[in-house]
Amino acid sequence: MEPRFTATTVMDRQCFREFGEIQAGKNIVRNIFLIVFGLLILCLAVLTAQGQMNLIFTLLLFLIFFYLYLFFGRIVGYFARKNLHPALRDIAQTYSFDDEGYHTVSALDASAIRYPAIVKIMETETMFALYINKASAHLIKKSDFTLGTSETFRPYIVERTGKPVLQF
């Protein structure tokens, strides 16, 4: 069957960083960090005002939680990349979309995925994430389409899967 769309994406650090931001943005842990961060600031301010805690210790705790909150997406992306088999990092993955589903081909393997297997579709400014389960997705950079465009891909994938494209 003739493909309607093709794209070849290299799973580099930037790709995983953006995937980490997507995962962290929808992750309840990030919201818990925000709540704990706010409560920590409030408690530390009260304790410091009462003289029960050293100001330097207070600032150190503040900086640690602020850093974790600020870079949570990068941390998630780092561990997603680290947990990927080393042979799969930084290799080109070609995606071909036809009427039945899509096919992935790399130097190491090839697979076929039918459209009903896609559970969620996320879109950012630079990529699409086609989730095949809660935590695993195929990442396709918009700039990597060689047949078709990202603008025409969006309605096509919605039609084939019946799932909306969630903007991130």
Side-chain angles (χ1 to χ4, degrees):
M1 192 170 291
E2 199 64 30
R4 304 274 301 271
F5 296 90
T6 59
T8 300
T9 298
V10 176
M11 301 302 291
D12 57 4
R13 290 182 191 276
Q14 182 61 34
C15 203
F16 278 100
R17 185 175 293 148
E18 193 162 343
F19 178 67
E21 289 295 331
I22 292 171
Q23 287 293 96
K26 68 182 189 68
N27 195 329
I28 194 162
V29 174
R30 188 173 203 155
N31 297 329
I32 292 171
F33 260 128
L34 184 59
I35 292 167
V36 169
F37 185 65
L39 290 174
L40 180 70
I41 291 171
L42 182 64
C43 290
L44 294 176
V46 169
L47 291 173
T48 303
Q50 294 176 352
Q52 296 178 1
M53 187 173 267
N54 188 334
L55 181 61
I56 294 174
F57 181 71
T58 303
L59 290 175
L60 181 64
L61 282 177
F62 172 80
L63 288 175
I64 290 170
F65 271 89
F66 182 71
Y67 178 79
L68 286 174
Y69 176 75
L70 192 62
F71 294 106
F72 188 69
R74 285 187 177 206
I75 294 167
V76 170
Y78 170 79
F79 282 109
R81 180 176 161 76
K82 186 175 171 136
N83 289 333
L84 187 67
H85 191 280
L88 296 175
R89 298 178 197 154
D90 298 316
I91 65 167
Q93 186 87 18
T94 301
Y95 298 91
S96 300
F97 295 84
D98 59 32
D99 292 335
E100 300 293 319
Y102 65 99
H103 308 273
T104 64
V105 178
S106 72
L108 299 175
D109 69 346
S111 62
I113 294 96
R114 294 189 151 312
Y115 291 122
I118 297 174
V119 296
K120 180 173 31 175
I121 306 165
M122 301 275 296
E123 179 183 9
T124 68
E125 286 184 25
T126 60
M127 73 171 30
F128 288 99
L130 306 176
Y131 282 82
I132 54 175
N133 64 40
K134 189 175 181 177
S136 298
H138 290 154
L139 308 176
I140 304 164
K141 294 179 186 174
K142 291 181 178 181
S143 60
D144 292 343
F145 278 95
T146 55
L147 177 63
T149 65
S150 61
E151 290 80 21
T152 56
F153 178 72
R154 185 182 310 105
Y156 176 81
I157 198 73
V158 168
E159 175 190 330
R160 293 292 172 202
T161 62
K163 298 195 174 34
V165 175
L166 305 172
Q167 300 292 321
F168 183 79

